[in-house]
Amino acid sequence: MIDEIILTNNFKRMKRFLGLFAVFFSVMAFSQQQGKLRKVAAVGFLNVENLWDTIRSADYIDGTKDSKSPVFHRSIPMDSIKFLEAEKYNGPWSDGALAGKKVVRFQSGSEEFTPNSAKNYNTKVYRAKLANEAKVISEMGAQYTKTAPAVVGLIEVENRQVIEDLIKEPALKKYDYGIIHYNSYDYRGIDVALIYQKRRFTPTNSLKKELKIFDGGRREYTRDILVVTGMLDNEKVAFFMNHWPSRRGGEAVSLPKRNAAATLLKQQMDSVRAADPATKLFAMGDFNDDPVSPSLKNYLKAQPGLKDLSDSTPYLNLMYPLYKKGVASLAYQDAPNLFDQIIVSKNLISDQVTKEYSVYKAEIFAPAYLVNKEGNYKGYPFRSWNGDQFTGGYSDHFPAFVILQKEP
C-alpha cells in the first residue's frame, strides 16, 4: 500500500507547485495492526546554506607527525597564521601530498562572510542563522517521532565551531548532540558533518574519503564523503554524507565529476556491506543530480523500486517515487530538481514491523515557514540570502528525512 498525498498534477511551474502549504510524500508502506505499538527514529539531513562564522579563516594542515597522512587539519583565524611555523606551499592539496608538511591556505569563501564584507555578516545575523537552522532540525520528522531526529547530516558548514554553536541553540541543546566532522580541501572551505543524539547513536568508526576529480587536468577541490559506522538503538548502521560537485559550467559538462563521486560512494558502501552484511546503510545528501541522472542510476546503481533490488543491486533510492510525482527540493529558473536524496540498503526494507528497524516512510520536509511567500521567488525554498541581503530565511534547499520503525 502506498500512503501518499498528491498535492497537484501540474508541475509546469515551480512557483505554483512549491507555493502550496507543504510537500509530504510517503514512499513506503506501513503494514501493521491498528494500534500496535512501535519504536520510531528519524534520520535526515539539511543543507544549512553557508553556515559560516564571522571570522576570516584559513585551512591549516600539520602533517609532520605522521609520514603517511596529515594528522591535523582545521580552520583557523587569519590572524593566527603569524604564530604558526607553516611553510609557503603552491603544490597540490591532498592527504598524500601534504604528509610531512605544515601549510596554510586562505579559504576563498570566508572573506565574504565577515562584518566588513558586502553582506555585513555580523554576530546578529550569525545568531539568527543558527536559530533558524536549529528550528528546522528540531522539527524534522517530529510529527511522527515527537522528538528531534536521532541522526542529522549537515551540508555547507565552515568548521567544527559553527556546529558546536548550532547544537547549543535552545531548540537543540536538550537533545545532547555529538559531532562528527572533518575539514575537507573544498575550494570554498565548506564541509559535510553529522550530529547525533548520544543516547541513541554510538559511533564506532568515522573517516573522510577524498574525492579527487580533475577539470582539464587540473585538480578541482570539493567536499569529502563522510563515512560513519556505529550503533543506532543497538543496531549496526552506517551513514555516508555527500555533497557532490555542482553543475557549474552545465549539467553535461560537469556530469563526469558526479559520476566519480558516485563511484567513490559505491566503493565505500560496498566495502562496509562486505565487511558485515547485517549493517544497515544510509547514503544521503545533496547529490546535485536527480534520481534518474546517470550518476545515481548507472554508477551508484541506486534502484527506483523494490522489485529492482537484488544481491547485486542492493541500494534503494527512497526519493525516486517522489521525483516521479514532481516533488522537488530546490528550484532554479522555475525548473524543479530533487537533488536532496536518501538511499538505503535493502536490509532496511520490510513489509511488516519486526524487531529490527525498517523504513516506514521518507519525506521532503517543507512546512509553510520554509516556503518563500512573496516576490520573484514565491514558492521556492525560503533561502537565507538574496545576493548580499540576509532575508531571515533558512536554506535554498528543503531538507529530507526517513522514518524508521520497529517493535519496541
Side-chain angles (χ1 to χ4, degrees), residues 258-274:
R258 293 185 296 282
N259 290 345
T263 300
L264 178 61
L265 174 58
K266 189 174 187 303
Q267 288 173 350
Q268 294 305 304
M269 295 177 73
D270 288 348
S271 176
V272 171
R273 186 168 173 266

Side-chain angles (χ1 to χ4, degrees), residues 260-408:
T263 300
L264 178 61
L265 174 58
K266 189 174 187 303
Q267 288 173 350
Q268 294 305 304
M269 295 177 73
D270 288 348
S271 176
V272 171
R273 186 168 173 266
D276 187 349
T279 304
K280 296 178 168 66
L281 277 53
F282 300 80
M284 55 189 183
D286 177 2
F287 295 92
N288 271 305
D289 266 338
D290 289 311
V292 295
S293 298
S295 58
L296 278 300
K297 184 178 178 182
N298 301 332
Y299 287 80
L300 183 57
K301 298 188 184 301
Q303 301 303 306
L306 303 181
K307 63 181 178 57
D308 304 299
L309 295 176
S310 68
D311 289 340
S312 60
T313 55
Y315 307 130
L316 178 68
N317 194 331
L318 298 179
M319 299 307 180
Y320 181 84
L322 284 72
Y323 178 80
K324 295 296 287 184
K325 293 293 184 181
V327 177
S329 60
L330 73 160
Y332 178 69
Q333 294 182 344
D334 280 342
N337 289 109
L338 185 51
F339 290 169
D340 301 270
Q341 301 165 54
I342 301 176
I343 296 153
V344 299
S345 52
K346 69 185 183 75
N347 56 356
L348 274 158
I349 307 304
S350 176
D351 60 358
Q352 58 186 347
V353 183
T354 69
K355 294 180 179 180
E356 294 188 355
Y357 273 134
S358 61
V359 172
Y360 168 32
K361 59 171 59 180
E363 294 184 356
I364 295 297
F365 184 53
Y369 70 85
L370 285 184
V371 183
N372 207 321
K373 297 175 178 61
E374 58 187 9
N376 293 333
Y377 300 105
K378 182 178 180 180
Y380 285 29
F382 186 20
R383 64 185 304 163
S384 300
W385 296 97
N386 181 10
D388 288 328
Q389 181 67 38
F390 181 63
T391 65
Y394 299 81
S395 176
D396 53 349
H397 290 243
F398 292 133
F401 66 82
V402 57
I403 299 297
L404 308 175
Q405 63 177 358
K406 66 177 177 179
E407 293 179 0

Side-chain angles (χ1 to χ4, degrees), residues 151 180 194 196-198 200-207 227-240 272 276 278-282 357:
V151 177
I180 299 175
L194 203 74
Y196 57 92
Q197 290 193 38
K198 296 175 186 176
R200 303 197 65 178
F201 178 68
T202 303
T204 55
N205 190 42
S206 65
L207 55 92
V227 182
V228 180
T229 55
M231 303 295 290
L232 175 62
D233 295 333
N234 297 315
E235 293 189 34
K236 291 183 179 180
V237 295
F239 300 101
F240 305 82
V272 171
D276 187 349
T279 304
K280 296 178 168 66
L281 277 53
F282 300 80
Y357 273 134

Side-chain angles (χ1 to χ4, degrees), residues 144-157:
Y144 304 105
T145 65
K146 309 304 180 184
T147 186
V151 177
V152 184
L154 302 175
I155 299 171
E156 293 193 9
V157 293

Side-chain angles (χ1 to χ4, degrees), residues 45-62:
F45 69 94
L46 169 66
N47 186 323
V48 292
E49 192 191 358
N50 292 311
L51 183 55
W52 296 76
D53 58 29
T54 61
I55 303 169
R56 194 164 172 246
S57 303
D59 283 317
Y60 170 61
I61 294 92
D62 181 356

